[in-house]
Amino acid sequence: MQGPGRPSSAEVVLPRADGADLRGRTPEWKWQLAHAVRSSRELAEHLDLCDAERAGAERAERDGFPLAITPYYLSLIDRGDPSCPIRRQVVPHVAEREVTRGDLVDPLGEVAHEVAPDLVQRYPDRALVLATDRCAVYCRFCTRSRMVGGAGGTRTLEHLTPAFDWLAAHPEVRDVIVSGGDPLTLTTDRLVAVIARLRRVESVETIRLATRVPVVLPQRITAELLGALAPYHPLWVMTHFNHPKELTPLARQGLERLANAGFPVMNQSVLLRGVNDDAAVLAELFRGLVRCRARPYYLLQADPAKGTGHLRTPIATGVALMEQLWGRLSGIALPKLVVDTPGGFGKVPIGPDYVIARRPGVTRFRTPRGIEVEYFDPAPE
Ligand SMILES: *Cc1c(COP(=O)(O)O)cnc(C)c1O
Ligand code: SF4
């Protein structure tokens, strides 16, 4: 196929550092964002939608949580398979209109924990900056659907000034997570301006970029971006791969580039019904991430965001999955299963219980292979 300005396959076109080619074409990632599917009509051109998806997409377009899928991520969807795990993450479903017991508009109580505009603090030593409300794709399970894709757009430095001032006045905060929305949808200049401003707060030691872009728009991981961010290390990248199908050659290359540029990469997966609630799928995902030098960090129980009941699993499912994986998967490939407690009171780890009895000075365990053993405490001093 020879679209406008597209090179023929015989031509060798070297990318520039910013991801544009030598003729100065728009960088591929910007092309992807500009051509994201955002309407039910376009979506129906690409996929055979079932009635529930069509109604979901029309609702998303009208008044629900918006619809956006990059051409790249769309290309990973199995066109004829309504249960495709990529599809379930991004194609709206009419069930989003349903209310499930416990559903909350703001499941993590972020509005209540806002200490300055778009600065959320839920732990004494950490804070979260919401640098934009835009994402490359809108994930149907998003915890922040109340504000993501809304009217605010990217936050200006002026808008974030009270957040920076608050951080400067609270030196106990050493770890700042830049999130959104997706911070990697910002232009490099915009993003660097935010990071540079954060770096001027001396008490901030670690900065984490929380992003789904390596999954849904890996073309964004350009040499230009990495070069611009490198002066601000230590910068950690928190990615969000949920299924092994997402680890395409392009995505693996993005992870490789991040690791080569000195970014520790941690992955946070969300446990989703019909997407990754299967031990073999999770094992393949976690092993694949480790091969790309990305550490599976958390497996998150899905937050009870309004309209996500159809995508969530019972707590017992996650615990059973961890039971299947523990002891069978390398420790570096095994994330912690956590529940971010509704209301915003912090994350708690859950999992199978290997302690079967506690008596004073003696703890009885069962091992992953079902052997029972005792551990004796040392004698009190
Ligand atoms: C999840 C989260 C953090 C970071 O938690 P870690 O367990 O340190 O990864 C910090 N602040 C907020 C508001 C969060 O939601
Ligand atoms: S990328 Fe993150 S913030 Fe954006 S829609 Fe997906 S889960 Fe929500």
Side-chain angles (χ1 to χ4, degrees):
M1 198 188 82
Q2 178 99 53
R6 299 266 121 184
S8 79
S9 53
E11 232 179 309
V12 177
V13 180
L14 294 171
R16 291 193 320 206
D18 64 356
D21 68 28
L22 287 173
R23 285 172 294 184
R25 260 189 347 177
T26 314
E28 177 65 18
W29 71 272
K30 287 193 179 165
W31 185 91
Q32 289 277 332
L33 282 181
H35 292 84
V37 165
R38 295 176 195 275
S39 72
S40 55
R41 187 187 46 77
E42 285 172 283
L43 192 61
E45 284 168 17
H46 289 93
L47 303 176
D48 307 323
L49 298 180
C50 68
D51 290 345
E53 289 172 327
R54 189 180 308 277
E58 282 166 6
R59 180 175 174 274
E61 206 179 329
R62 221 172 34 244
D63 55 5
F65 179 47
L67 153 69
I69 312 175
T70 54
Y72 162 80
Y73 200 65
L74 193 64
S75 76
L76 307 187
I77 295 179
D78 189 337
R79 180 178 178 133
D81 177 10
S83 66
C84 166
I86 305 295
R87 182 177 189 135
R88 281 179 70 81
Q89 295 186 62
V90 289
V91 172
H93 194 280
V94 73
E96 289 176 21
R97 157 180 97 186
E98 280 158 31
V99 178
T100 308
R101 183 163 66 132
D103 270 9
L104 296 166
V105 171
D106 177 11
L108 304 182
E110 292 182 327
V111 171
H113 289 85
E114 209 169 62
V115 290
D118 290 311
L119 184 70
V120 179
Q121 192 205 20
R122 300 200 287 133
Y123 299 97
D125 61 333
R126 279 155 280 176
L128 185 78
V129 181
L130 305 176
T132 177
D133 65 8
R134 294 301 135 103
C135 301
V137 305
Y138 292 114
C139 315
R140 308 322 296 174
F141 49 86
C142 182
T143 265
R144 286 194 198 114
S145 55
R146 67 170 198 284
M147 58 84 75
V148 158
T154 65
R155 305 325 196 214
T156 61
L157 278 191
E158 296 73 63
H159 172 88
L160 292 173
T161 298
F164 300 130
D165 292 344
W166 187 93
L167 289 168
H170 292 82
E172 67 276 16
V173 174
R174 296 159 189 274
D175 178 359
V176 175
I177 300 159
V178 179
S179 184
D182 198 313
L184 290 193
T185 62
L186 296 174
T187 61
T188 302
D189 289 349
R190 261 262 167 85
L191 177 63
V192 167
V194 172
I195 307 287
R197 186 65 190 75
L198 278 174
R199 270 285 167 248
R200 278 172 43 203
V201 182
E202 266 172 43
S203 43
V204 173
E205 294 171 8
T206 310
I207 299 174
R208 307 191 223 176
L209 291 169
T211 174
R212 240 200 139 200
V213 155
V215 184
V216 297
L217 184 62
Q219 297 89 344
R220 176 70 181 105
I221 314 301
T222 60
E224 178 246 15
L225 175 71
L226 299 176
L229 291 174
Y232 303 97
H233 272 312
L235 285 172
W236 292 50
V237 173
M238 316 300 285
T239 60
H240 189 168
F241 286 86
N242 287 332
H243 194 277
K245 267 184 91 173
E246 295 170 336
L247 286 168
T248 64
L250 214 53
R252 295 203 304 266
Q253 183 192 58
L255 290 173
E256 191 134 305
R257 285 185 179 171
L258 285 165
N260 288 346
F263 295 81
V265 181
M266 302 279 136
N267 188 73
Q268 313 192 121
S269 301
V270 177
L271 188 54
L272 295 167
R273 194 201 299 182
V275 174
N276 58 11
D277 54 345
D278 177 279
V281 167
L282 288 177
E284 191 185 340
L285 171 66
F286 299 151
R287 288 196 177 111
L289 286 163
V290 169
R291 279 199 299 275
C292 299
R293 287 176 284 167
R295 165 78 159 104
Y297 174 61
Y298 283 153
L299 174 61
L300 288 146
Q301 173 70 23
D303 295 326
K306 200 169 141 250
T308 62
H310 61 298
L311 291 172
R312 280 157 35 206
T313 53
I315 293 282
T317 301
V319 173
L321 287 167
M322 290 306 286
E323 172 101 57
Q324 286 174 266
L325 296 174
W326 183 256
R328 289 177 183 81
L329 212 57
S330 158
I332 60 171
L334 201 70
K336 263 193 225 117
L337 174 63
V338 297
V339 180
D340 216 337
T341 53
F345 302 103
K347 298 176 179 76
V348 293
I350 54 168
D353 202 350
Y354 293 103
V355 173
I356 51 179
R358 287 179 225 261
R359 297 192 310 277
V362 191
T363 307
R364 191 167 180 81
F365 295 96
R366 67 180 175 96
T367 70
R369 293 200 189 139
I371 297 163
E372 292 188 15
V373 285
E374 286 181 334
Y375 182 94
F376 296 92
D377 289 341
E381 277 174 40

